[in-house]
Amino acid sequence: MRRALSLAARGRFSTDPNPRVGCVIVRDGEVVGEGWHERPGEAHAEVHALAAAGDRARGATAYVTLEPCAHQGRTGPCCVALAEAGVARVIAAMDDSNPLVNGGGLAYLREQGIVVASGLLAGEARALNRGFVSRMQRGRPWVTVKLAASLDGRTAMASGESRWISGEAARLDVHRQRAAASVVMSGIGTVLADDPKLNARLPGLERQPGRVILDSQLRTPPTAALLQLESPVLLVAAEHAPADRAAALEGAGAEILHLPGERPDPATVLSWLARERDCNEVLVEAGPVLAGSLLQAGLVDEICLYLAPHLMGDAARGLFSLPGLEHMQDRLGLRLLDVRQLGEDLRLRLAPIAQQGE
């Protein structure tokens, strides 16, 4: 199963919005076939593994990181393919929470007389597909807020200057995170201050994340750097945002989503992205206002903080805008998940305590 998980991880940058799945087929203690899901619309992991195994799949055990699908989509149901190949056992790391599957794949295999089990290395499998699971179970994507700060917790000088806080190794890691995300989300303040591209710049990358900007009054310039790239840009605006700005931005290639109210509600945006765009993971790269509002609304699943070994001073800008925190009892608790050194910087992964049980 660990080998199947390592195969599944190869689809980190390419399978979205589908889950990352790997499969290993073993007969008489020997691996006779393996595969992983590479791209949406193409063969699933089980099909690749069965093709590699051929006749040796009969009587074998299939280890798969996610319950085999039981529905006809762009490809056929994998549970049927496994049964027709004559496998004797199917061991899944976790059940599929997709309502189109939801136990149906394992139930079908049992009906065919195949021994099935689920739960082997389930935690690792869930972590690999945390965004897919979040979309299926909570109706919203997994949200990671990425921040880069000095050792004294500053993200930009008072003038707004912020390039570069972190070093080259940390910036490369950010591009990997972008590549794995369904979309990169930011606010209009960051667009106006930094004119970012918010794309993933890695060699050989086939899929770019979408870009989503919360821009209530459509102040994004039609000449913004993020609109000069081919990957899609969605501007989320207030219901009565200026029509002339909307026309100019649509002419520049942007898609515009109008939502009720004076400014887009982040929870509504996230639900819309999951429902309408099959969005699994959102990487937020924004200033302290948007980052703070997401955190206080309980919409942040993980914080990825790059800490650089320098000081920027009291006048520089902070990490989060968190109004209303006046006493020690008002603090927002975080749990440290992981610490890693990247070049001269530290990468801290943290989870808001309120989200740990989700």
Side-chain angles (χ1 to χ4, degrees):
M1 187 63 78
R2 290 200 183 280
R3 173 60 179 168
L5 286 165
S6 70
L7 291 168
R10 295 183 183 181
R12 184 183 179 208
F13 301 147
S14 61
T15 63
D16 193 85
N18 290 356
R20 301 149 184 162
V21 183
C23 180
V24 174
I25 298 177
V26 178
R27 179 174 174 177
D28 298 327
E30 177 187 358
V31 173
V32 296
E34 59 182 33
W36 52 284
H37 182 44
E38 299 178 20
R39 299 172 190 83
E42 296 186 4
H44 288 186
E46 298 93 323
V47 174
H48 283 301
L50 289 170
D55 293 340
R56 294 177 295 176
R58 187 162 300 277
T61 297
Y63 295 87
V64 60
T65 59
L66 185 70
E67 174 188 359
C69 62
H71 64 287
Q72 178 69 47
R74 285 186 282 182
T75 60
C78 291
C79 61
V80 174
L82 288 164
E84 290 179 347
V87 299
R89 292 196 309 160
V90 174
I91 311 298
M94 60 177 288
D95 294 353
D96 190 343
S97 51
N98 185 340
L100 296 174
V101 183
N102 197 24
L106 295 179
Y108 175 85
L109 292 167
R110 287 192 190 96
E111 292 170 359
Q112 305 307 307
I114 297 170
V115 176
V116 301
S118 180
L120 181 61
L121 300 183
E124 290 89 333
R126 285 181 64 88
L128 184 64
N129 283 306
R130 61 190 188 178
F132 179 79
V133 172
S134 177
R135 175 162 65 91
M136 293 299 163
Q137 294 186 348
R138 302 189 297 181
R140 72 162 178 85
W142 180 275
V143 176
T144 298
V145 172
K146 166 260 165 183
L147 298 158
S150 60
L151 196 58
D152 51 349
R154 304 300 176 174
T155 61
M157 303 303 292
S159 64
E161 182 184 358
S162 62
R163 294 182 181 176
W164 294 104
I165 290 177
S166 56
E168 184 176 347
R171 296 199 297 273
L172 177 59
D173 192 65
V174 171
H175 285 286
R176 294 193 186 100
Q177 291 204 59
R178 290 178 182 174
S182 306
V183 302
V184 179
M185 178 185 289
S186 193
I188 182 58
T190 298
V191 171
L192 294 177
D194 298 339
D195 194 23
K197 295 179 180 178
L198 300 178
N199 64 334
R201 297 187 285 279
L202 297 175
L205 196 64
E206 297 181 9
R207 183 195 70 89
Q208 283 287 338
R211 279 82 51 76
V212 176
I213 306 300
L214 304 190
D215 183 5
S216 58
Q217 295 304 308
L218 295 176
R219 293 188 292 150
T220 298
T223 56
L226 56 84
L227 291 174
Q228 310 310 310
L229 305 174
E230 292 184 1
S231 54
V233 176
L234 174 68
L235 302 179
V236 185
E239 187 174 12
H240 300 296
D244 57 337
R245 295 181 188 173
L249 287 164
E250 287 174 335
E255 178 186 0
I256 298 175
L257 170 66
H258 292 274
L259 292 179
E262 293 184 2
R263 62 182 57 206
D265 172 54
T268 301
V269 174
L270 293 172
S271 296
W272 187 91
L273 287 172
R275 182 179 66 252
E276 301 296 332
R277 297 296 163 87
D278 295 333
C279 181
N280 292 330
E281 297 187 39
V282 170
L283 180 66
V284 178
E285 298 189 42
V289 174
L290 179 54
S293 66
L294 288 168
L295 187 60
Q296 289 191 307
L299 297 172
V300 176
D301 297 299
E302 186 173 306
I303 297 168
C304 182
L305 173 60
Y306 299 90
L307 274 181
H310 54 244
L311 305 173
M312 295 170 63
D314 294 347
R317 301 178 183 180
L319 287 164
F320 295 95
S321 175
L322 299 171
L325 303 188
E326 299 179 358
H327 305 286
M328 290 293 283
Q329 66 185 24
D330 299 327
R331 292 173 297 174
L332 300 181
L334 302 173
R335 179 188 173 205
L336 185 61
L337 303 175
D338 177 72
V339 180
R340 180 173 300 183
Q341 184 166 354
L342 298 173
E344 295 298 317
D345 305 319
L346 290 180
R347 186 190 71 185
L348 280 63
R349 292 177 50 244
L350 308 109
I353 289 176
Q355 271 75 49
Q356 287 180 34
E358 296 186 5

